[in-house]
Amino acid sequence: MTIENREDTVAGTSSGDGGAGALSPRQESVRTLFDRLAAERDRWVERNSAFHEADRAYLRFLVPENASVLEVGCGTGDTLAFLQPSRGVGIDLSPAMVERARQRHPGLEFHTGNAEDPAVLAGVAGTFDVILLSDTIGFLDDIEETLRHLHRFATPRTRIIVSYHSRLWEPVLGLAEKLGLKMPQGQLNWLSSTDIAGLLTLAGWQPVKREWRQLVPRRLLGLGTLINRSIAPLPGVRKLCLRNYVVARPAPRAPEKQPSCTVLIPCRNERGNIENAIRRLPRFCPDLEVVYVEGNSQDNTYEECLRVQAAHPDWDIKVMKQPGKGKGDAVRAGFAAARGDILIILDADLTVPPESLPKFYRAIASGQGEFINGTRLVYPMDDQAMRFLNWIANRAFARIFSFLLNTRFTDTLCGTKVLWKSDYDQIVANRHYFGDFDPFGDFDLIFGASKLNLEIVEVPIRYADRTYGETQISRFTHGWLLLRMVLFAWKKLKAF
């Protein structure tokens, strides 16, 4: 078996372009090793092309299009270039590797230096959307302190991605290196993904996602690819994979001011609930907008929305008709018109009490979460609020999507979801990856939030029975759509 667990080089440790502190003996040996290997790097990558292509593909999935990217331990810059950043900067310990990177990718910026030295980091200007350490963490003398230094390049929206190999594969990788099947790397740090997540936490980062990939890092005439797509992602199997990834964000800080908010109320045949929504809605922030999006009702819901708008001039209420059909279309139309910094969906059936919305606002405005999902399945609910088969299906789908998204969900179908308008704009910009697939509106947001590596938090609510109208959910028709959604999610999130 030919295995290579380093795509570019492994650097992240001392000087070259502009001076830095003295290197440790280990750092000196790392620099010497990769200076010597720079001319051979392409041969090693070609020999293990299946591994590198799969690794790059998943990094491309994690990094949004047109993001600014800083890669610590960039080697010859091929991974950085593959990500097509709007601004790409690489730092590497090896002068020989960096020289090749500059020749190959003149549109990117490269620095030779020790990424553990604050003086070297000070030579890189600005902040970045993504900070990438691909295997570099295995060569750092002081991982925690280096991760702390990297905060200088972060905004609250920055994501740091750390990729590394599994400790389970150490014997295989060591044997492959002795047999000349893998590029030599010297002495590496002994780390599991749990260790990496712990070090990130100690350094002031909050892990938001972990993933495991590549059970068979070879094509094997297509068999390896098939196993990696169909078997490797399964629970109980995925943690046996060669490659692991940890994504983290800067630990949240208290907000400087209260952000504005838009409460979006999609409504179809909900005339009896329209005014109650306003009467029961607390004024939980100084700048609060309410947007009713009416969906071609048969009971004069639109006219009732206009009446309520006129009857409550002390509220900032907007009323609009959705251009298409379905809740998903209503959500997209309403969010496009919303002006708030924070966007909240409140279903017009009011089975999620309007009185609970301050909890959602606090959760996101405080920075505790970046995508807030309501869950109806924690507290006891009214007897008629949810049919037994619906309850079973909700539980089952929550478990399935928790696995698919690598995030614990107890209720994916609760209509109340909250996110920042800036993050929603990013979901829209990257929507082409998933396409226009979701008639509900829930999964367009959930999948988009997962792909953006947002911190997802659930807020329990007490689910009430509706007091007006009838449910617009068809157990069997919508159940079939949900099954299709599971297959779609498997294909887009796991089997690639």
Side-chain angles (χ1 to χ4, degrees):
M1 182 180 294
T2 305
I3 303 170
E4 162 60 32
N5 73 326
R6 175 61 177 138
E7 168 146 32
D8 292 321
T9 108
V10 173
T13 57
S14 199
S15 130
D17 281 354
L23 297 179
S24 71
R26 183 187 182 206
Q27 292 168 349
E28 288 279 11
S29 66
V30 168
R31 184 172 67 175
T32 300
L33 173 64
F34 285 98
D35 279 346
R36 177 172 59 82
L37 292 172
E40 305 173 16
R41 183 260 181 191
D42 288 347
R43 178 171 63 85
W44 289 111
V45 171
E46 179 62 29
R47 174 175 285 185
N48 298 284
S49 59
F51 166 81
H52 293 300
E53 289 172 9
D55 184 50
R56 286 177 177 176
Y58 189 64
L59 289 174
R60 183 71 170 268
F61 172 81
L62 291 175
V63 176
E65 290 185 4
N66 298 314
S68 55
V69 180
L70 169 66
E71 185 177 9
V72 179
C74 64
T76 56
D78 292 345
T79 296
L80 186 61
F82 183 81
L83 297 175
Q84 298 181 328
S86 58
R87 179 194 177 203
V89 178
I91 304 174
D92 201 279
L93 179 60
S94 165
M97 289 285 187
V98 170
E99 180 59 30
R100 285 179 171 266
R102 289 170 175 159
Q103 293 173 0
R104 296 163 85 120
H105 309 293
L108 303 177
E109 176 185 338
F110 296 100
H111 298 257
T112 306
N114 179 4
E116 298 192 63
D117 187 343
V120 172
L121 298 181
V124 179
T127 58
F128 296 85
D129 299 317
V130 175
I131 301 170
L132 173 63
L133 290 84
S134 180
D135 290 304
T136 305
I137 200 166
F139 295 83
L140 299 176
D141 282 352
D142 191 332
I143 297 171
E144 180 186 345
E145 203 59 29
T146 303
L147 294 174
R148 285 187 185 278
H149 293 328
L150 293 176
H151 279 287
R152 70 186 301 145
F153 303 115
T155 72
R157 319 310 292 171
T158 295
R159 293 298 178 267
I160 186 167
I161 301 172
V162 180
S163 57
Y164 201 47
H165 64 268
S166 167
R167 293 192 309 192
L168 295 174
W169 282 74
E170 288 279 356
V172 178
L173 297 174
L175 177 61
E177 188 169 321
K178 289 179 180 179
L179 296 175
L181 303 176
K182 137 182 200 316
M183 189 168 70
Q185 293 187 284
Q187 188 179 40
L188 297 173
N189 297 326
W190 181 265
L191 296 163
S192 68
S193 61
T194 301
D195 297 328
I196 293 170
L199 286 162
L200 284 162
T201 301
L202 287 172
W205 300 89
Q206 182 182 45
V208 298
K209 178 183 289 184
R210 291 165 64 184
E211 181 61 286
W212 298 264
R213 294 259 162 174
Q214 299 204 57
L215 187 62
V216 181
R218 300 288 289 170
R219 290 191 183 88
L220 301 180
L221 301 177
L223 180 60
T225 302
L226 178 64
I227 291 172
N228 288 333
R229 291 181 177 179
S230 59
I231 297 176
L234 294 175
V237 177
R238 59 182 182 165
K239 291 188 179 181
L240 300 176
C241 289
L242 167 60
R243 200 71 164 152
N244 59 62
Y245 304 83
V246 182
V247 183
R249 65 169 182 154
R253 300 176 182 176
E256 297 179 1
K257 64 176 183 177
Q258 284 188 285
S260 61
C261 181
T262 295
V263 176
L264 171 66
I265 307 178
C267 48
R268 183 174 183 272
N269 296 326
E270 299 285 1
R271 179 175 57 85
N273 291 323
I274 299 303
E275 189 158 30
N276 276 336
I278 287 293
R279 287 177 173 173
R280 294 172 57 186
L281 182 63
R283 293 182 183 268
F284 51 81
C285 73
D287 187 0
L288 182 60
E289 174 190 50
V290 177
V291 178
Y292 288 102
V293 182
E294 191 278 328
N296 304 303
S297 304
Q298 304 299 313
D299 67 346
N300 296 319
T301 294
Y302 181 69
E303 290 73 16
E304 176 67 2
C305 291
L306 294 175
R307 186 194 71 77
V308 168
Q309 181 186 40
H312 296 271
D314 56 324
W315 283 84
D316 180 6
I317 299 175
K318 294 182 175 61
V319 178
M320 57 187 294
K321 281 182 172 286
Q322 70 179 90
K325 295 181 179 180
K327 180 185 172 184
D329 176 79
V331 169
R332 289 189 284 273
F335 279 0
R339 65 170 181 81
D341 299 318
I342 292 171
L343 307 176
I344 299 179
I345 302 172
L346 175 67
D347 284 348
D349 60 11
L350 304 187
T351 53
V352 172
E355 294 85 354
S356 68
L357 293 195
K359 297 180 180 180
F360 290 85
Y361 179 83
R362 283 196 300 269
I364 193 166
S366 67
Q368 295 305 307
E370 296 167 311
F371 182 88
I372 315 300
N373 183 64
T375 174
R376 304 162 294 175
L377 303 179
V378 173
Y379 298 126
M381 62 183 70
D382 292 349
D383 289 341
Q384 301 302 313
M386 186 181 296
R387 300 170 183 172
F388 179 70
L389 287 179
N390 292 49
W391 186 89
I392 293 294
N394 275 308
R395 286 288 191 189
F397 282 115
R399 290 183 69 91
I400 293 169
F401 283 109
S402 294
F403 155 66
L404 292 172
L405 298 165
N406 289 334
T407 301
R408 184 176 183 269
F409 281 93
T410 59
D411 184 8
T412 55
L413 294 174
C414 179
T416 302
K417 291 174 170 57
V418 184
L419 71 167
W420 291 94
K421 180 71 159 60
S422 57
D423 287 329
Y424 177 72
D425 291 340
Q426 284 293 306
I427 289 174
V428 172
N430 289 277
R431 187 172 277 153
H432 60 85
Y433 180 80
F434 294 107
D436 186 8
F437 70 99
D438 179 19
F440 304 104
D442 298 281
F443 296 101
D444 176 55
L445 299 178
I446 290 174
F447 292 1
S450 177
K451 191 173 188 308
L452 287 180
N453 303 307
L454 301 185
E455 172 69 1
I456 298 174
V457 172
E458 289 195 319
V459 170
I461 55 92
R462 291 191 177 276
Y463 191 52
D465 192 11
R466 63 162 53 240
T467 58
Y468 173 87
E470 298 179 353
T471 181
Q472 298 178 42
I473 296 175
S474 170
R475 280 181 290 176
F476 299 105
T477 300
H478 289 161
W480 169 243
L481 286 173
L482 284 170
L483 287 173
R484 290 175 58 190
M485 210 72 68
V486 168
L487 296 175
F488 179 84
W490 173 265
K491 178 181 176 181
K492 288 293 187 176
L493 298 170
K494 294 291 185 183
F496 71 91

